[in-house]
Amino acid sequence: MREFSVSSLPEFDNHELVAFFEDKKTGLKSFVAVHNTNLGPATGGTRYWNYRSEREALRDALRLSQAMTYKCALAGLSYGGGKGVIMANSHNPKKRKFLIAYAKRVNLLRGNFYTGEDVGLTTEYVNTLARHSKFIIGRESLAGNPSPWAALGVFYAISAGLKAVFGTDEMSGRTFSIKGVGKVGSELCRLLYGRGGRIVVADINQKRIKQIKKRFPKVRVVKPGEIHEQRVDVYAPCALGDEFNAKTIPRLQCHIVCGGANNQLSTSEDGRRLQRAGILYIPDYLANAGGLINVVAELDRRGYSWKRVRKRVQNIQKMARKVIEFSRRQDTPTSEVADRLAESIFRKKSKG
Ligand code: NAD
């Protein structure tokens, strides 16, 4: 590998800590990045992914942990942003052994970093981590599955968007398109369907489509390549990121974009492009914070409370309204307003 300086990477953004863990016995290679702890200890899932190089893994950890700082700040959580990535090794898949070695390294951070499930890990693996570290959250026996909470937050953010654009958040008869009907998308579909929404979906996985059609017979299905071009009131991306760019934005035929997928904008310029196209974009990390709100509730000294989680997730609607209002008043894209608001929360705290 060519030498490089961590702080010169574009994603570095003054991270407080970057740790590289290597365990010769198991072959584990992983990074933990802690972006900012002004609001409290860092939190963020651990991704288990087949990275092509250490550099690629590190850049992913940095980018994702920075986003967690912003997500925590807007969700009103006393936590900072962090992220772990484990480099999967397809020639030597020792997932369980890797996880045990990783959990032991997380312990070295002594509670400055709490982690749990992300892409590539299931609840079963989180339970393995939790047996070897007390800094693991999202356990089956406590907060459990974060996806319904993530979908509920998106649902509240959509309500705020509808009210701002149409003057009412009534959903009956409104049209929605959902890309990806996995854990978050299918739950969002259930919520919107229950309110009388007219829904069109797409998924690359036919099994998911079958399940959705069985549960919600009136849902219409289109090909994955056509979902973003549907003429609808709200488009909800709930698959992977990098959804909006100079090519896809001109093809959109919706009034509002609000979904569960992370990192929907390919670049910050795409927030401006959506605004110029007259589309209200509810920033992804604001809308999809429900899952995080639920898992960190495990750390509440008063104990996990379903009621408190629900209230915080409802607050996503208020924060979305605030971002929309500021964006209109200042004629600034919602993506930039959300970033500035989050920064004003986590940066102010450091001075206090
Ligand atoms: P998931 O894997 O259960 O669902 C994703 C679905 O998208 C799958 O059914 C997959 O087949 C489909 N898909 C993938 N590429 C597609 C494409 N090109 N076109 C159409 N469908 C496609 O994942 P999930 O947990 O529902 O997460 C969805 C998104 O929400 C991710 O971006 C995730 O990072 C984000 N998110 C999830 C949570 C959570 O609690 N699960 C919380 C916050 C954010």
Side-chain angles (χ1 to χ4, degrees):
M1 188 176 57
R2 265 194 311 136
E3 262 189 45
F4 67 95
S5 137
V6 175
S7 59
S8 69
L9 290 174
E11 296 84 0
F12 181 66
D13 190 36
N14 291 311
H15 265 71
E16 287 179 13
L17 177 136
V18 179
F20 175 59
F21 302 145
E22 183 167 22
D23 180 52
K24 295 269 191 254
K25 229 158 84 194
T26 57
L28 167 83
K29 279 189 182 181
S30 65
F31 290 93
V32 166
V34 170
H35 177 246
N36 187 291
T37 57
N38 287 349
L39 297 176
T43 182
T46 291
R47 187 163 284 197
Y48 190 96
W49 196 250
N50 220 327
Y51 293 103
R52 282 167 300 185
S53 64
E54 287 172 15
R55 189 191 181 102
E56 188 188 51
L58 171 60
R59 289 185 71 170
D60 207 28
L62 292 171
R63 184 176 62 90
L64 293 164
S65 71
Q66 183 203 40
M68 290 305 293
T69 301
Y70 285 75
K71 195 183 283 204
C72 287
L74 279 203
L77 300 171
S78 311
Y79 293 92
K83 201 82 184 180
V85 302
I86 296 178
M87 297 180 70
N89 183 340
S90 52
H91 307 295
N92 188 14
K94 289 182 188 154
K95 209 169 199 167
R96 233 187 119 256
K97 282 192 179 162
F98 277 9
L99 291 177
I100 295 170
Y102 176 75
K104 290 181 179 167
R105 300 303 205 279
V106 167
N107 291 340
L108 298 176
L109 299 173
R110 295 169 183 265
N112 288 304
F113 173 60
Y114 286 88
T115 192
E117 189 176 332
D118 194 65
V119 175
L121 291 187
T122 58
T123 319
E124 191 193 321
Y125 290 117
V126 170
N127 291 339
T128 303
L129 286 173
R131 277 196 288 279
H132 299 273
S133 169
K134 59 179 183 186
F135 306 114
I136 306 302
I137 49 177
R139 283 162 289 171
E140 225 167 359
S141 54
L142 282 168
N145 185 1
S147 314
W149 292 106
L152 186 64
V154 174
F155 176 82
Y156 285 128
I158 287 177
S159 299
L162 289 174
K163 180 95 176 119
V165 171
F166 300 107
T168 165
D169 57 8
E170 177 61 50
M171 292 185 178
S172 179
R174 289 258 166 247
T175 49
F176 302 90
S177 52
I178 305 176
K179 176 175 176 176
V181 278
K183 295 189 288 287
V184 177
S186 62
E187 180 61 15
L188 180 64
C189 185
R190 185 185 72 78
L191 294 168
L192 299 172
Y193 196 83
R195 293 295 179 98
R198 285 157 48 207
I199 303 167
V200 51
V201 304
D203 199 297
I204 48 171
N205 182 338
Q206 284 314 304
K207 217 167 107 193
R208 302 268 204 193
I209 289 292
K210 254 193 184 162
Q211 286 164 348
I212 280 287
K213 278 299 285 178
K214 200 167 162 201
R215 288 176 72 193
F216 314 111
K218 287 191 205 151
V219 161
R220 202 159 58 82
V221 178
V222 295
K223 291 187 191 134
E226 294 169 1
I227 190 73
H228 64 288
E229 300 172 358
Q230 299 301 306
R231 191 182 291 275
V232 287
D233 295 319
V234 183
Y235 175 37
C238 296
L240 300 177
D242 279 339
E243 178 75 20
F244 302 112
N245 53 47
K247 266 195 187 157
T248 55
I249 293 171
R251 306 182 76 94
L252 296 173
Q253 298 199 63
C254 57
H255 297 281
I256 300 165
V257 162
C258 180
N262 276 314
N263 303 322
Q264 291 171 27
L265 305 182
S266 294
T267 65
S268 54
E269 178 57 28
D270 298 313
R272 271 166 245 143
R273 284 199 181 96
L274 283 167
Q275 190 197 28
R276 282 199 296 273
I279 295 168
L280 172 62
Y281 168 64
I282 314 276
D284 44 17
Y285 65 79
L286 192 179
N288 73 17
L292 172 69
I293 291 170
N294 179 51
V295 293
V296 298
E298 280 184 10
L299 300 173
D300 194 317
R301 269 179 283 123
R302 296 163 291 180
Y304 176 83
S305 152
W306 185 90
K307 263 193 186 161
R308 277 196 291 271
V309 171
R310 172 136 195 143
K311 196 153 181 261
R312 270 198 194 282
V313 175
Q314 265 168 346
N315 280 340
I316 289 176
Q317 186 167 358
K318 267 195 214 148
M319 187 50 90
R321 276 199 215 123
K322 190 169 171 176
V323 166
I324 296 166
E325 197 190 307
F326 281 18
S327 155
R328 286 181 168 173
R329 228 191 289 149
Q330 299 163 2
D331 192 22
T332 306
T334 47
S335 49
E336 290 176 20
V337 169
D339 284 357
R340 298 299 87 78
L341 256 173
E343 284 159 7
S344 73
I345 295 166
F346 74 79
R347 290 201 177 134
K348 191 163 77 190
K349 190 79 186 187
S350 64
K351 291 181 197 131

